[in-house]
Structures are given as C-alpha cells and as structure tokens.
Amino acid sequence: LFLCVIQLHCVGLCRETLERKHIVGFFNCVYATILDGASDGTDNKKPRVEEAPPSRVLHIRKLPSEASETEVIALGLPFGKVTNILTLKGKNQAFLEMGTEEAAITMVNYYATVNPHVRNVPVFIQYSNHKELKTDAGNQRTQAVLQAVSAVQSSGSSSSDVQEALAAVSSPVLRIIIDNMFYPVTLDALQQIFSKFGTVMKIITFTKNNQFQALLQFSDPVNAQHAKLALDGQNIYNSCCTLRIDFSKLVNLNVKYNNDKSRDYTRPELPAGDGQPSLDPAVAAAFSKESNSLLGKIPGALNPLSAAAAAAAAAGRVALAGQAGSNGVLLVSNLNEEVRVYGDVQRVKILYNKKDSALIQMSDANQAQLAMSHLNGQKMYGKIIRVTLSKHQTVALPRDGLDDQGLTKDYANSPLHRFKKPGSKNFQNIFPPSATLHLSNIPQDVTEDDLRLLFSDTGGTVKAFKFFQDRKMALIQMSTVEEAIQALIDLHNYNVGKKQHLRVSFSKSTI
C-alpha cells in the first residue's frame, strides 16, 4: 500500500480519486510489476493484472530506459490528440492521456492485435484507473513537446508533419542562418549569445548558398527550444546580422577540430586541423572584454557591439587595439572601385613604386574588415586580388602644390556612397560576390533585352534574367563570378536615361 500511495502522489491525483476500488486496482498494477521480477522488462512472464475500465489515460509498461517522451507520444499520435504525458523513468513506465476516451479505446484495441514497440523493445499498453493526469507544469521538456504537437495538430497537419515537429522539438541542435551579414559573426560570438539559454556543447560554422550558417548543439533540447523562441528574428547588430533559427534533424554534432570554424567545448584537447588556425587566446580575451553587451533583454533586439568589438568579430582576422588593422585602411593589389559594395571608399592612393597596388581608406574599421573578408582571393581582370589590413591609420592627401601624378584621390564627398545614412536598408543587402546581380532604379521603358545587351557589352555572358513584379528591380545572372564583378564595376551608377542611374549589387539569390 505504501508503494501505491507513492505512485499516486507522483501522478498528482486529486484526493477524491483515492477511492477503495482505485487503490486496489492500482495496487494490483504495482504488485504485478513487482512480480515481473524487474522494471527493465527483461522477464518475459506475463503478469495477471486486474483490467481497468476504459479511460482516456493509458498505462504503458516495460519501456526501455532510454525511451523519450516523444517516442511515447508517437504511440498515440495515429489515434488522436495527445493531451498529457507522465514518464516514470525509474520504473520504465509512462502514463499517456489522450484527448478523448474513444481515441484511447481505439488505441488499446489496435495494440491488442499489433504488439507495440519502442526502440525495438515490445511494450505493454492498458487502461489506467485514472481519468486524467495532473502533472507538474514546471516540467519544461514535457511542456515543450506537448506544445509542439498541439500546435501542429491544431493546424490540421498530417501525421508526418506531427512526427517532424516531434523530432524537431526533441533535438538539441539548432540550425542558424545569418541574414544581412554586414559585420562578420564568429563562432565565439554565437557561443556567447546562445549560452545565456543553457550549456552550449558544440558549434560548427560553414557557408552555404552564399550565406553564413551554423549548427549549434545544447546539452538539453529544452534549452534549444527556449533559445529559438527568444532569438529567432533578432539582430546581433543594429539593422543587420539577423538570426534565422530552425531545429536541425541532427541530434548530435561530430566535431573533429577545435578552431575558428568548429568547436567542441566538451573536448578541449582536439587538434586545430590542417591549415585551420586555432583562435588566438588574446583575440578571444579582447572579444570577451568588448562584447559584454551583445545580448540584451529578451524579448527585444540584441544590443549592438561597439565598433571595436564589431571589428574584432572578423573571423580569423581580428584586429587588436594598437596593432595593424585597427583602422579602416586596406592594402589591395589589382583593386578597382567595386570595393564600394562593402562600404564607402573615402580615399584611394596608388603606390608610386608598385602601381598594381593601392591603399584604400574606408569609412571605418568595420567596413574595411567586411571588404577584406569578401574580396580577398576574388578574381578580377584575370588575376587574383589580395586584400590585407594596412599598418597606416589614414591615407594622406598630397600637400598643397605637390604633384603626385594623380595617384591619390579623395572620395569623401562622392555621390556614389551607399551607406551614408545610419540604419539604411543598404546595410541589409550586403552579400559576398556571386554570379547573380541585383539591379534597381530601372526606368519603366527599359526592357529585358536592353539590360541583357547592356550587361553583355561588359564582356560577359548573361545566363538568366528576371524582372521583379514592379519592374523597377531585377536579377541578372552572369556565367561566372568574375564576369559579375566586372559588370558591377562597369555598370553601377550607369545612366539609363531620364536622369536615372542604375544601381548594381551582389545578390544572395539565384535565378
């Protein structure tokens, strides 16, 4: 009887349900389990259990010890709505509450002819003496699973959709996409943001479809659920670096190396990997010092980093205060003005003794980092351009009366600057070089053939073209990235008539 009272307390039954017939029936169930010899289901003897009358609460026994709530819920999904669940891990048992008694009856009748299995282990299902479950609402994992199932079932989705929702909510792994990535985002920045919701175990970063993405594994699926709810759609910095978060179908990440692309925080002894630099401890310390304000109050937008911390976020090329790179000056070989795609060029100085190289001064260090990240290694005029941070703080203009043969130009007041207005939408449309270009400010009388001919005249081949619905914007796809770079250089700000100038930028889309 003591065991019976303990069991009743765990289920949270109301006092009025403690009637004699309920106690006897439930005690018989507990006693039968004891007679089985062990709660792990290893004994094949079938106990004699007094059958309870039909109820929408079902008692499931001999579950494998590693069985999850989602696997138990999956047993009831084909028969109707699941409204509650209670798992008794230590006894390898569970109680499942269906939405209606009819659904429970159908489920029991079906499994009377088809033996149910969980993880290839046969389990036993029978009616419970309890008419409803009153469980602890503080069980966050269970509540997250039930909310996911309820949301999908309420929308009238198919059983496969419900199964997918279950799989997602039970995964501790999130898939993160960074939209509008004006400033680079590091693995350590992600760890700092997401660790506010639980223990981050592993992170893998990569680029796919011209977008920076990451897989991030928590120690518990509930932490992943909370992080997704709080952070999806938030900006890391003002007006850019927007987090798009989904659950991954993976349940565990396999990390082989600890470097600036992947990290297993549970295995610090992992090697950095061939050709992959490990994160400099001084850099990590500098980033940590600057980025205490990275995550603000939830809900609400993430607080922006300071300019120094944003510069420090450039992956693998972090500039520490007082060292080369803490300014907005780049040293570039074979450069042309397509660098403006990633910021506002202030000054350009072609080197007197090395005229295939130039110093480029951007508006700030963040724009310099971004331009370097996206342009270094790109092919232009048949050569690979090289972009590095310069030791110079500024590009000096020639002294009055000194002829420098036109090697230095000041673009501070250029009308071509894209990012003059703080918070401009242009910050949200910065992407790496790609074969597809985004065109805007197109006059109504300019046709597709006109634009195809215009871009073909730059020396490339137009592979595809697509007008937007309003015909003021379009996508045009060249055959190579190099051709797209050349077309952007030649045609950005091109006069297409009626005092309208064509605006050209790289696109993340394909046609």
Side-chain angles (χ1 to χ4, degrees):
L1 185 58
F2 174 75
L3 288 175
C4 176
V5 172
I6 294 296
Q7 192 82 333
L8 290 169
H9 176 72
C10 290
V11 180
L13 294 172
C14 296
R15 184 176 299 172
E16 57 266 23
T17 62
L18 302 181
E19 298 174 358
R20 181 186 299 264
K21 63 178 182 179
H22 289 162
I23 294 177
V24 172
F26 195 79
F27 180 77
N28 284 338
C29 173
V30 176
Y31 182 64
T33 303
I34 295 172
L35 291 179
D36 268 345
S39 60
D40 60 5
T42 55
D43 194 331
N44 291 325
K45 292 181 181 179
K46 248 189 173 179
R48 289 186 62 187
V49 181
E50 179 180 310
E51 289 190 7
S55 166
R56 66 191 185 102
V57 179
L58 301 176
H59 182 204
I60 304 171
R61 300 182 294 112
K62 294 200 172 181
L63 287 164
S65 57
E66 66 274 16
S68 66
E69 289 97 336
T70 59
E71 290 169 309
V72 177
I73 290 174
L75 292 172
L77 286 178
F79 307 98
K81 188 173 183 179
V82 176
T83 54
N84 210 346
I85 182 175
L86 173 69
T87 55
L88 306 174
K89 291 286 187 180
K91 294 184 176 294
N92 301 83
Q93 300 177 21
F95 290 89
L96 191 68
E97 180 184 275
M98 302 299 292
T100 65
E101 189 173 294
E102 290 74 16
I105 292 172
T106 304
M107 179 175 170
V108 170
N109 290 342
Y110 175 80
Y111 286 131
T113 58
V114 178
N115 204 10
H117 288 73
V118 173
R119 300 200 179 201
N120 297 320
V121 175
V123 298
F124 300 92
I125 300 176
Q126 64 192 40
Y127 297 117
S128 166
N129 283 297
H130 317 308
K131 297 301 180 184
E132 64 176 331
L133 288 179
K134 293 185 178 180
T135 54
D136 181 9
N139 189 328
Q140 296 176 331
R141 180 197 296 270
T142 300
Q143 293 302 313
V145 173
L146 289 171
Q147 287 173 12
V149 174
S150 177
V152 178
Q153 285 184 323
S154 298
S155 65
S157 301
S158 63
S159 179
S160 61
D161 292 331
V162 178
Q163 292 283 2
E164 187 174 336
L166 275 176
V169 79
S170 63
S171 173
V173 180
L174 295 175
R175 182 172 68 97
I176 304 160
I177 297 175
I178 309 293
D179 275 347
N180 310 322
M181 198 170 87
F182 181 65
Y183 300 121
V185 176
T186 63
L187 179 149
D188 288 281
L190 292 174
Q191 192 274 341
Q192 186 169 16
I193 293 169
F194 283 83
S195 63
K196 294 182 181 293
F197 298 88
T199 303
V200 174
M201 309 288 284
K202 305 171 185 178
I203 304 177
I204 297 174
T205 64
F206 54 96
T207 299
K208 184 177 180 182
N209 298 328
N210 286 328
Q211 284 188 307
F212 178 82
Q213 302 188 27
L215 293 171
L216 183 146
Q217 180 178 338
F218 278 101
S219 60
D220 193 295
V222 172
N223 302 142
Q225 174 81 354
H226 289 170
K228 180 183 183 301
L229 290 174
L231 296 177
D232 187 29
Q234 302 287 355
N235 293 329
I236 299 178
Y237 309 115
N238 277 344
S239 304
C240 65
C241 297
T242 306
L243 294 166
R244 305 296 181 197
I245 306 172
D246 287 307
F247 287 102
S248 170
K249 293 182 180 179
L250 300 173
V251 294
N252 186 53
L253 298 180
N254 182 23
V255 176
K256 296 181 180 179
Y257 305 111
N258 282 339
N259 51 45
D260 58 356
K261 302 296 183 185
S262 62
R263 195 76 53 84
D264 186 338
Y265 294 95
T266 67
R267 300 180 63 194
E269 76 281 0
L270 287 177
D274 295 337
Q276 290 290 340
S278 57
L279 193 66
D280 191 315
V283 167
F287 181 87
S288 176
K289 182 178 179 180
E290 290 285 356
S291 55
N292 291 331
S293 63
L294 182 64
L295 186 60
K297 296 179 179 179
I298 300 296
L302 306 183
N303 290 336
L305 289 179
S306 64
R317 292 179 288 271
V318 181
L320 299 179
Q323 297 183 4
S326 60
N327 52 72
V329 180
L330 298 169
L331 174 62
V332 188
S333 302
N334 298 328
L335 174 79
N336 208 306
E337 291 183 15
E338 97 285 2
V339 72
R340 282 184 177 151
V341 173
Y342 301 108
D344 293 332
V345 175
Q346 300 297 304
R347 295 175 183 175
V348 177
K349 181 182 182 66
I350 298 174
L351 302 187
Y352 181 79
N353 294 322
K354 192 173 176 59
K355 291 191 171 56
D356 64 345
S357 300
L359 293 174
I360 307 294
Q361 181 176 335
M362 307 297 288
S363 291
D364 57 40
N366 305 319
Q367 293 183 7
Q369 291 277 2
L370 191 67
M372 181 179 68
S373 175
H374 287 324
L375 293 177
N376 184 42
Q378 294 293 338
K379 194 173 184 180
M380 188 176 68
Y381 299 122
K383 296 181 179 180
I384 303 297
I385 63 173
R386 299 299 177 190
V387 185
T388 60
L389 293 170
S390 169
K391 64 180 180 181
H392 295 279
Q393 300 295 313
T394 61
V395 171
L397 294 175
R399 292 190 295 273
D400 290 341
L402 180 64
D403 181 15
D404 74 341
Q405 302 177 11
L407 297 180
T408 306
K409 294 289 184 182
D410 187 355
Y411 294 96
N413 298 316
S414 171
L416 300 181
H417 288 171
R418 299 175 185 243
F419 309 103
K420 290 184 291 186
K421 295 180 181 179
S424 167
K425 288 185 178 180
N426 292 334
F427 286 108
Q428 302 176 19
N429 295 290
I430 297 175
F431 306 106
S434 65
T436 304
L437 297 170
H438 180 273
L439 315 181
S440 61
N441 205 34
I442 302 172
Q444 289 294 326
D445 58 350
V446 172
T447 66
E448 176 179 337
D449 290 339
D450 293 334
L451 291 169
R452 280 179 174 268
L453 179 61
L454 182 64
F455 278 78
S456 296
D457 287 345
T458 63
T461 302
V462 176
K463 302 286 288 185
F465 182 92
K466 179 183 177 182
F467 262 123
F468 285 47
Q469 189 171 4
D470 61 2
R471 298 182 66 87
K472 294 180 181 179
M473 294 187 291
L475 295 177
I476 190 166
Q477 185 175 332
M478 309 302 289
S479 60
T480 67
V481 175
E482 184 181 6
E483 289 182 2
I485 291 174
Q486 186 63 56
L488 185 148
I489 294 171
D490 293 344
L491 297 177
H492 176 64
N493 204 48
Y494 180 85
N495 189 343
V496 285
K498 297 183 179 179
K499 297 183 179 180
Q500 287 186 255
H501 292 77
L502 188 66
R503 298 185 64 84
V504 185
S505 58
F506 296 116
S507 173
K508 68 176 180 179
S509 306
T510 55
I511 304 176

Coordinates of all heavy atoms in Angstrom, one line a residue, residues 215-279:
L215 N 25.6 25.2 -37.1 CA 24.9 24.2 -36.3 C 25.4 24.3 -34.9 O 26.6 24.3 -34.6 CB 25.2 22.8 -36.8 CG 24.6 22.5 -38.2 CD1 25.1 21.2 -38.7 CD2 23.1 22.5 -38.2
L216 N 24.5 24.5 -33.9 CA 24.8 24.7 -32.5 C 24.1 23.7 -31.6 O 22.9 23.6 -31.7 CB 24.5 26.1 -32.1 CG 24.9 26.5 -30.7 CD1 25.3 28.0 -30.7 CD2 23.7 26.3 -29.7
Q217 N 24.8 22.9 -30.8 CA 24.2 21.9 -30.0 C 24.2 22.3 -28.5 O 25.3 22.6 -28.0 CB 25.0 20.6 -30.2 CG 24.4 19.4 -29.4 CD 25.2 18.1 -29.6 OE1 25.8 17.9 -30.6 NE2 25.1 17.2 -28.7
F218 N 23.0 22.2 -27.9 CA 22.9 22.4 -26.5 C 23.0 21.1 -25.8 O 22.9 20.0 -26.4 CB 21.5 23.0 -26.2 CG 21.4 24.5 -26.4 CD1 20.9 25.1 -27.5 CD2 21.9 25.4 -25.4 CE1 20.8 26.5 -27.7 CE2 21.9 26.8 -25.6 CZ 21.3 27.3 -26.7
S219 N 23.1 21.2 -24.5 CA 23.1 19.9 -23.7 C 21.7 19.4 -23.5 O 21.6 18.2 -23.2 CB 23.8 20.2 -22.3 OG 23.0 21.2 -21.6
D220 N 20.7 20.2 -23.7 CA 19.3 19.8 -23.5 C 18.4 20.3 -24.5 O 18.5 21.5 -24.9 CB 18.9 20.2 -22.1 CG 17.6 19.5 -21.7 OD1 16.5 19.8 -22.3 OD2 17.6 18.8 -20.7
P221 N 17.5 19.6 -25.1 CA 16.6 20.1 -26.1 C 15.7 21.3 -25.6 O 15.3 22.1 -26.4 CB 15.7 18.9 -26.5 CG 16.5 17.7 -26.1 CD 17.3 18.1 -24.9
V222 N 15.4 21.3 -24.4 CA 14.6 22.4 -23.8 C 15.3 23.7 -24.0 O 14.7 24.8 -24.3 CB 14.3 22.2 -22.3 CG1 13.6 23.4 -21.7 CG2 13.3 21.0 -22.2
N223 N 16.7 23.7 -23.8 CA 17.5 24.9 -24.0 C 17.4 25.4 -25.4 O 17.3 26.6 -25.7 CB 18.9 24.7 -23.5 CG 19.1 24.2 -22.1 OD1 19.9 23.4 -21.8 ND2 18.3 24.7 -21.2
A224 N 17.5 24.4 -26.3 CA 17.4 24.8 -27.7 C 16.0 25.4 -28.1 O 15.9 26.4 -28.8 CB 17.6 23.5 -28.6
Q225 N 14.9 24.9 -27.5 CA 13.6 25.4 -27.7 C 13.5 26.8 -27.2 O 13.0 27.7 -27.9 CB 12.6 24.5 -27.0 CG 11.2 25.0 -27.0 CD 10.4 24.7 -28.3 OE1 11.0 24.2 -29.2 NE2 9.2 25.0 -28.4
H226 N 14.0 27.1 -26.0 CA 13.9 28.4 -25.4 C 14.8 29.4 -26.3 O 14.4 30.6 -26.5 CB 14.4 28.4 -24.0 CG 13.5 27.7 -23.1 ND1 13.8 27.4 -21.8 CD2 12.2 27.3 -23.3 CE1 12.7 26.8 -21.2 NE2 11.8 26.7 -22.1
A227 N 16.0 29.0 -26.7 CA 16.8 29.9 -27.5 C 16.2 30.2 -28.8 O 16.2 31.4 -29.2 CB 18.2 29.2 -27.7
K228 N 15.5 29.3 -29.4 CA 14.9 29.5 -30.7 C 13.7 30.5 -30.5 O 13.6 31.5 -31.3 CB 14.3 28.2 -31.3 CG 13.6 28.4 -32.6 CD 13.0 27.1 -33.2 CE 12.4 27.3 -34.5 NZ 11.3 28.3 -34.5
L229 N 12.9 30.3 -29.5 CA 11.8 31.2 -29.3 C 12.2 32.6 -29.0 O 11.6 33.6 -29.4 CB 10.9 30.7 -28.1 CG 10.1 29.4 -28.3 CD1 9.5 28.9 -27.0 CD2 9.1 29.6 -29.4
A230 N 13.3 32.8 -28.3 CA 13.8 34.1 -27.9 C 14.6 34.8 -29.0 O 14.5 36.1 -29.1 CB 14.6 34.0 -26.6
L231 N 15.4 34.1 -29.8 CA 16.3 34.7 -30.6 C 16.0 34.7 -32.1 O 16.5 35.5 -32.9 CB 17.7 34.0 -30.5 CG 18.4 34.1 -29.1 CD1 19.7 33.3 -29.1 CD2 18.6 35.6 -28.7
D232 N 15.1 33.9 -32.5 CA 14.7 33.8 -34.0 C 14.2 35.2 -34.4 O 13.3 35.8 -33.9 CB 13.7 32.8 -34.2 CG 13.4 32.5 -35.7 OD1 14.3 32.8 -36.5 OD2 12.3 32.2 -36.1
G233 N 14.8 35.8 -35.5 CA 14.4 37.1 -36.0 C 15.1 38.2 -35.4 O 14.9 39.4 -35.8
Q234 N 16.0 38.0 -34.3 CA 16.6 39.1 -33.7 C 17.9 39.5 -34.5 O 18.5 38.7 -35.2 CB 17.1 38.7 -32.3 CG 15.9 38.3 -31.4 CD 15.0 39.5 -30.9 OE1 15.4 40.6 -31.2 NE2 13.9 39.2 -30.2
N235 N 18.3 40.8 -34.3 CA 19.5 41.3 -34.9 C 20.7 41.3 -33.9 O 20.5 41.7 -32.8 CB 19.3 42.7 -35.4 CG 18.3 42.8 -36.6 OD1 18.2 41.9 -37.3 ND2 17.6 43.9 -36.6
I236 N 21.8 40.8 -34.4 CA 23.0 40.8 -33.5 C 23.5 42.3 -33.4 O 23.9 42.8 -32.3 CB 24.1 39.9 -34.0 CG1 23.6 38.5 -34.0 CG2 25.4 40.0 -33.2 CD1 24.6 37.5 -34.6
Y237 N 23.6 43.0 -34.6 CA 23.9 44.4 -34.6 C 22.7 45.2 -35.1 O 21.8 44.6 -35.8 CB 25.1 44.6 -35.5 CG 26.3 43.7 -35.2 CD1 26.8 42.8 -36.1 CD2 27.0 43.8 -34.0 CE1 27.9 42.0 -35.8 CE2 28.1 43.0 -33.7 CZ 28.5 42.1 -34.6 OH 29.6 41.3 -34.3
N238 N 22.7 46.5 -35.0 CA 21.6 47.3 -35.4 C 21.4 47.1 -36.9 O 22.3 47.3 -37.7 CB 21.9 48.8 -35.1 CG 21.5 49.1 -33.7 OD1 20.8 48.4 -33.1 ND2 22.0 50.3 -33.3
S239 N 20.2 46.7 -37.3 CA 19.7 46.7 -38.7 C 20.5 45.6 -39.5 O 20.4 45.6 -40.8 CB 19.8 48.0 -39.4 OG 19.1 49.0 -38.7
C240 N 21.2 44.7 -38.9 CA 21.9 43.7 -39.7 C 22.2 42.5 -38.9 O 22.0 42.5 -37.7 CB 23.2 44.3 -40.3 SG 24.4 44.8 -39.1
C241 N 22.8 41.5 -39.6 CA 23.1 40.2 -38.9 C 21.9 39.6 -38.2 O 21.9 39.4 -36.9 CB 24.3 40.4 -37.9 SG 25.8 40.9 -38.8
T242 N 20.9 39.3 -38.9 CA 19.6 38.8 -38.4 C 19.7 37.3 -38.2 O 20.1 36.6 -39.2 CB 18.5 39.2 -39.3 OG1 18.5 40.6 -39.6 CG2 17.1 38.8 -38.7
L243 N 19.3 36.8 -37.1 CA 19.3 35.4 -36.8 C 18.1 34.7 -37.3 O 17.0 35.1 -37.0 CB 19.4 35.1 -35.3 CG 20.7 35.6 -34.6 CD1 20.5 35.6 -33.1 CD2 21.9 34.7 -34.9
R244 N 18.2 33.7 -38.1 CA 17.1 32.8 -38.6 C 17.4 31.4 -38.1 O 18.4 30.8 -38.4 CB 17.1 32.8 -40.1 CG 16.9 34.2 -40.8 CD 15.7 34.9 -40.4 NE 15.5 36.2 -41.0 CZ 14.7 37.1 -40.6 NH1 13.9 36.9 -39.6 NH2 14.7 38.3 -41.2
I245 N 16.5 30.9 -37.2 CA 16.8 29.7 -36.4 C 15.7 28.7 -36.6 O 14.5 29.0 -36.6 CB 16.9 30.1 -34.9 CG1 17.9 31.2 -34.7 CG2 17.3 28.8 -34.1 CD1 18.0 31.7 -33.2
D246 N 16.2 27.5 -36.9 CA 15.3 26.3 -37.0 C 15.9 25.2 -36.3 O 17.1 25.2 -35.9 CB 15.1 25.9 -38.5 CG 14.2 26.8 -39.3 OD1 13.1 27.1 -38.8 OD2 14.6 27.3 -40.3
F247 N 15.1 24.1 -36.0 CA 15.7 22.9 -35.4 C 16.3 22.1 -36.5 O 15.8 22.0 -37.6 CB 14.6 22.1 -34.7 CG 14.1 22.7 -33.4 CD1 12.9 23.4 -33.3 CD2 14.9 22.6 -32.3 CE1 12.5 23.9 -32.2 CE2 14.5 23.1 -31.1 CZ 13.3 23.8 -31.0
S248 N 17.5 21.5 -36.2 CA 18.1 20.6 -37.1 C 17.6 19.2 -36.9 O 17.1 18.8 -35.8 CB 19.6 20.6 -36.8 OG 20.3 19.5 -37.5
K249 N 17.6 18.4 -37.9 CA 17.2 16.9 -37.8 C 18.3 16.1 -37.1 O 18.1 15.0 -36.7 CB 16.9 16.4 -39.2 CG 15.7 17.0 -39.8 CD 15.4 16.3 -41.2 CE 14.2 17.0 -41.8 NZ 13.9 16.4 -43.1
L250 N 19.5 16.7 -37.0 CA 20.6 16.0 -36.3 C 20.3 16.1 -34.8 O 19.8 17.1 -34.3 CB 21.9 16.7 -36.6 CG 22.4 16.7 -38.1 CD1 23.6 17.5 -38.2 CD2 22.6 15.3 -38.6
V251 N 20.8 15.1 -34.1 CA 20.7 15.1 -32.6 C 22.0 15.2 -31.9 O 22.1 15.4 -30.7 CB 19.9 13.9 -32.1 CG1 18.5 13.9 -32.6 CG2 20.6 12.6 -32.6
N252 N 23.1 15.1 -32.7 CA 24.4 15.1 -32.2 C 25.4 15.6 -33.3 O 25.3 15.2 -34.4 CB 24.9 13.8 -31.7 CG 26.2 13.9 -30.9 OD1 26.4 14.7 -30.0 ND2 27.2 13.0 -31.4
L253 N 26.3 16.5 -33.0 CA 27.3 17.0 -33.9 C 28.6 16.3 -33.7 O 29.0 16.1 -32.6 CB 27.5 18.5 -33.7 CG 26.3 19.4 -34.0 CD1 26.6 20.9 -33.7 CD2 25.7 19.2 -35.4
N254 N 29.2 16.0 -34.8 CA 30.5 15.3 -34.8 C 31.6 16.3 -35.1 O 31.8 16.7 -36.3 CB 30.6 14.2 -35.8 CG 31.9 13.4 -35.8 OD1 32.6 13.5 -34.8 ND2 32.2 12.7 -36.9
V255 N 32.3 16.8 -34.1 CA 33.3 17.9 -34.3 C 34.7 17.2 -34.2 O 35.0 16.5 -33.2 CB 33.2 19.0 -33.2 CG1 34.3 20.0 -33.4 CG2 31.8 19.6 -33.3
K256 N 35.5 17.4 -35.3 CA 36.8 16.8 -35.3 C 38.0 17.8 -34.9 O 39.0 17.3 -34.5 CB 37.1 16.3 -36.7 CG 36.2 15.2 -37.2 CD 36.5 14.7 -38.6 CE 35.6 13.6 -39.0 NZ 35.9 13.1 -40.4
Y257 N 37.7 19.1 -35.1 CA 38.7 20.0 -34.8 C 38.2 21.2 -34.0 O 37.1 21.6 -34.1 CB 39.3 20.6 -36.1 CG 39.8 19.5 -37.1 CD1 39.1 19.3 -38.3 CD2 40.9 18.8 -36.8 CE1 39.6 18.3 -39.1 CE2 41.4 17.8 -37.6 CZ 40.7 17.6 -38.8 OH 41.1 16.6 -39.7
N258 N 39.1 21.8 -33.1 CA 38.8 23.0 -32.4 C 39.5 24.1 -33.0 O 40.8 24.2 -32.9 CB 39.2 22.9 -30.9 CG 38.2 22.0 -30.1 OD1 37.0 21.9 -30.5 ND2 38.6 21.5 -29.0
N259 N 38.8 25.0 -33.8 CA 39.4 26.1 -34.4 C 38.4 27.2 -34.6 O 37.4 27.2 -33.9 CB 40.1 25.7 -35.8 CG 39.1 24.9 -36.7 OD1 38.0 25.3 -36.8 ND2 39.6 23.9 -37.3
D260 N 38.6 28.1 -35.5 CA 37.7 29.2 -35.7 C 36.5 28.9 -36.5 O 35.6 29.7 -36.8 CB 38.4 30.5 -36.3 CG 39.0 30.2 -37.6 OD1 39.0 29.1 -38.1 OD2 39.5 31.2 -38.2
K261 N 36.4 27.6 -37.0 CA 35.3 27.1 -37.8 C 34.4 26.1 -37.0 O 33.2 26.0 -37.3 CB 35.7 26.5 -39.1 CG 36.6 27.4 -40.0 CD 35.8 28.6 -40.5 CE 36.6 29.4 -41.5 NZ 35.9 30.6 -41.9
S262 N 35.0 25.4 -36.1 CA 34.2 24.4 -35.3 C 34.8 24.3 -33.9 O 36.0 24.6 -33.7 CB 34.3 23.1 -36.0 OG 35.6 22.6 -36.1
R263 N 34.0 23.9 -33.0 CA 34.4 23.8 -31.6 C 33.6 22.8 -30.8 O 32.4 22.8 -30.9 CB 34.3 25.2 -30.9 CG 35.0 25.4 -29.6 CD 36.5 25.6 -29.8 NE 36.7 26.7 -30.7 CZ 36.8 28.0 -30.4 NH1 36.5 28.3 -29.1 NH2 37.1 28.9 -31.3
D264 N 34.3 21.9 -30.1 CA 33.6 21.0 -29.2 C 34.1 21.4 -27.8 O 35.2 21.2 -27.4 CB 34.0 19.6 -29.5 CG 33.3 18.6 -28.6 OD1 32.8 19.0 -27.5 OD2 33.2 17.4 -29.0
Y265 N 33.2 22.1 -27.0 CA 33.5 22.6 -25.7 C 33.7 21.5 -24.7 O 34.2 21.8 -23.6 CB 32.5 23.6 -25.3 CG 32.4 24.9 -26.2 CD1 31.5 24.9 -27.2 CD2 33.3 25.9 -26.0 CE1 31.5 26.1 -28.0 CE2 33.3 27.0 -26.8 CZ 32.4 27.1 -27.8 OH 32.3 28.2 -28.6
T266 N 33.3 20.3 -25.0 CA 33.5 19.2 -24.1 C 34.8 18.5 -24.3 O 35.2 17.6 -23.5 CB 32.3 18.2 -24.2 OG1 32.4 17.5 -25.5 CG2 31.0 18.9 -24.1
R267 N 35.5 18.8 -25.4 CA 36.8 18.2 -25.7 C 37.8 19.2 -26.1 O 38.2 19.4 -27.3 CB 36.6 17.1 -26.8 CG 35.6 16.1 -26.5 CD 35.4 15.1 -27.7 NE 36.7 14.4 -28.0 CZ 36.9 13.7 -29.1 NH1 36.0 13.7 -30.1 NH2 38.1 13.1 -29.3
P268 N 38.4 19.9 -25.1 CA 39.4 21.0 -25.4 C 40.7 20.4 -26.0 O 41.5 21.2 -26.5 CB 39.6 21.6 -24.1 CG 39.2 20.6 -23.1 CD 38.1 19.8 -23.7
E269 N 40.9 19.1 -25.9 CA 42.1 18.5 -26.4 C 42.2 18.3 -27.9 O 43.2 17.9 -28.5 CB 42.4 17.2 -25.7 CG 41.6 16.0 -26.2 CD 40.1 16.0 -25.6 OE1 39.8 16.9 -24.9 OE2 39.4 15.1 -26.0
L270 N 41.0 18.5 -28.6 CA 41.0 18.3 -30.1 C 42.0 19.2 -30.8 O 42.2 20.3 -30.4 CB 39.6 18.5 -30.6 CG 38.5 17.5 -30.3 CD1 37.2 18.0 -30.8 CD2 38.9 16.1 -30.8
P271 N 42.6 18.6 -31.9 CA 43.6 19.4 -32.7 C 42.9 20.6 -33.4 O 41.7 20.5 -33.6 CB 44.2 18.4 -33.6 CG 43.1 17.4 -33.8 CD 42.4 17.3 -32.5
A272 N 43.7 21.5 -33.9 CA 43.2 22.6 -34.7 C 42.9 22.2 -36.1 O 42.0 22.8 -36.8 CB 44.1 23.8 -34.7
G273 N 43.5 21.1 -36.6 CA 43.3 20.7 -38.0 C 44.3 21.3 -39.0 O 44.8 22.4 -38.7
D274 N 44.5 20.6 -40.1 CA 45.4 21.1 -41.1 C 45.0 22.4 -41.7 O 43.9 22.5 -42.3 CB 45.6 20.1 -42.2 CG 46.2 18.8 -41.7 OD1 46.9 18.9 -40.6 OD2 46.0 17.7 -42.3
G275 N 45.8 23.4 -41.6 CA 45.6 24.7 -42.3 C 44.5 25.5 -41.7 O 44.1 26.6 -42.2
Q276 N 44.0 25.1 -40.5 CA 43.0 25.9 -39.8 C 43.5 26.5 -38.5 O 43.9 25.7 -37.6 CB 41.8 25.0 -39.5 CG 41.0 24.5 -40.7 CD 40.2 25.7 -41.3 OE1 40.0 26.7 -40.6 NE2 39.8 25.6 -42.5
P277 N 43.6 27.8 -38.4 CA 44.2 28.4 -37.2 C 43.3 28.2 -36.0 O 42.0 28.3 -36.2 CB 44.3 29.9 -37.6 CG 43.3 30.1 -38.7 CD 43.2 28.8 -39.4
S278 N 43.9 28.0 -34.9 CA 43.1 28.0 -33.7 C 42.9 29.5 -33.3 O 43.7 30.3 -33.6 CB 43.7 27.2 -32.6 OG 45.0 27.7 -32.3
L279 N 41.9 29.7 -32.5 CA 41.6 31.1 -32.1 C 42.7 31.6 -31.1 O 43.0 30.9 -30.1 CB 40.3 31.2 -31.4 CG 39.7 32.6 -31.3 CD1 39.5 33.3 -32.7 CD2 38.4 32.6 -30.5

